[in-house]
Amino acid sequence: MEKLFDINEGGYSIRCKIYCQDMKKIDKAILFLHGFGSYKDTAALTRFGEKVISKYKTTAVIGFDFPCHGADARKKLMLSECISYLELVKKYVEEQLGTSQIYIYATSFGGFLMLKYIQEKGNPFVKIALRSPALNMHDSLLEHAQKSGQYDKLMKGKEVLLGHERKVKVSLSFFEEIRETDPKEMEYLDFADDLMILHGTEDETVPFDVVEKFAEDNVIEFVSFEGDHRVRNPKTMDFIIHTIITFFELG
């Protein structure tokens, strides 16, 4: 079963999608954190959600739109509000679905946000899988602005639109916020046992060697796969899903 629902709290309206067998019989939940300019209704979430609930009857998979993404109504992207969304979805799972056994599957920008979350709040989650985490978020977005012909406009202090499925409005202040949140400059050794990173050998957005070194420096389990940043090959995606489910030990 898949179902759309909203979480309306704190002045926010978070658009969510849940995959589960029975809403009344959930003992574990996996939160899916999408990438920059993406949204909750991706093929990656659909494939993952269907695979999980076909085998684990009491596990739910929940995706949600970050601010300014997908069906979200906010107009200006701020990292602090992204963290607030994650906190509110976590709270919903604990209070409404009745479980604190929460796992994270985060991709790209979602992985960057998850590492920021750990910096600020520690790790309340059982296990966290990061696929192609955007450790170079600042430089990657700046390159995107250059390629889309918006760099000069950005440097003049004006807002620009960047992204894929939905263009996201960002400003220089957002770039500064990202610069101040550099996971490569932080240590995650205390959380390593509950983290895993998967990264494509042909990733054109986030350099493979940068992520591999980050994993080695923090003693985080690192799994490579043949593929690029967006993972278009179904067999590769199935390998990633199988690896993450195995790491989660859903039982």
Side-chain angles (χ1 to χ4, degrees):
M1 177 189 81
E2 60 182 78
K3 179 183 178 182
L4 296 171
F5 67 98
D6 297 343
I7 298 173
N8 298 301
E9 187 173 341
Y12 302 122
S13 183
I14 307 173
R15 314 298 188 183
C16 306
K17 188 173 189 177
I18 186 169
Y19 293 81
C20 67
Q21 290 283 359
D22 188 339
M23 289 278 286
K24 297 179 180 179
K25 297 179 180 179
I26 294 173
D27 58 19
K28 297 182 182 69
I30 303 168
L31 305 187
F32 179 88
L33 280 55
H34 63 71
F36 184 85
S38 187
Y39 61 130
K40 66 182 178 302
D41 294 300
T42 63
L45 173 58
T46 299
R47 199 173 187 89
F48 182 75
E50 291 175 349
K51 289 278 187 181
V52 168
I53 68 172
S54 68
K55 185 174 182 180
Y56 302 98
K57 309 300 183 184
T58 58
T59 298
V61 176
I62 300 171
F64 61 96
D65 291 331
F66 278 121
C68 307
H69 289 71
D72 187 78
R74 304 193 83 74
K75 302 299 182 184
K76 187 174 181 179
L77 184 61
M78 294 186 290
L79 293 183
S80 58
E81 290 193 338
C82 292
I83 298 298
S84 294
Y85 273 37
L86 176 54
E87 281 278 84
L88 288 172
V89 175
K90 173 179 173 291
K91 179 182 177 184
Y92 175 90
V93 171
E94 292 171 338
E95 295 181 357
Q96 302 301 319
L97 301 184
T99 179
S100 60
Q101 296 294 297
I102 305 173
Y103 302 71
I104 298 287
Y105 171 16
T107 71
S108 194
F109 177 54
F112 172 87
L113 288 170
M114 193 64 246
L115 291 170
K116 175 179 172 60
Y117 184 99
I118 293 173
Q119 286 181 23
E120 296 177 354
K121 302 177 182 295
N123 178 25
F125 305 104
V126 181
K127 289 192 176 183
I128 298 169
L130 308 175
R131 173 167 68 82
S132 309
L135 300 182
N136 63 335
M137 191 71 201
H138 180 274
D139 294 345
S140 177
L141 274 185
L142 204 59
E143 182 180 353
H144 186 15
Q146 291 171 332
K147 288 182 176 179
S148 62
Q150 300 185 83
Y151 179 80
D152 290 343
K153 182 179 178 181
L154 180 67
M155 291 300 106
K156 291 177 182 177
K158 297 180 180 180
E159 295 178 330
V160 299
L161 294 171
L162 303 176
H164 301 289
E165 283 83 0
R166 171 179 165 180
K167 300 297 182 182
V168 180
K169 184 183 293 186
V170 296
S171 64
L172 274 177
S173 62
F174 179 71
F175 277 83
E176 286 304 313
E177 198 177 8
I178 292 175
R179 191 196 298 274
E180 292 170 0
T181 309
D182 187 350
K184 301 189 300 301
E185 300 300 321
M186 303 297 293
E187 185 179 280
Y188 294 86
L189 290 169
D190 290 344
F191 311 102
D193 289 347
D194 299 322
L195 292 170
M196 179 177 69
I197 295 176
L198 305 96
H199 205 77
T201 55
E202 302 165 27
D203 195 309
E204 75 291 356
T205 302
V206 186
F208 180 86
D209 58 343
V210 170
V211 181
E212 184 179 38
K213 183 179 185 303
F214 174 80
E216 289 176 354
D217 290 346
N218 289 281
V219 199
I220 296 171
E221 182 177 353
F222 183 77
V223 178
S224 65
F225 58 86
E226 292 185 7
D228 58 17
H229 192 70
R230 303 191 76 179
V231 189
R232 297 174 177 83
N233 188 318
K235 290 184 178 180
T236 302
M237 184 58 76
D238 285 344
F239 166 77
I240 291 169
I241 291 171
H242 174 75
T243 303
I244 291 174
I245 290 175
T246 301
F247 174 67
F248 283 169
E249 298 178 323
L250 299 173

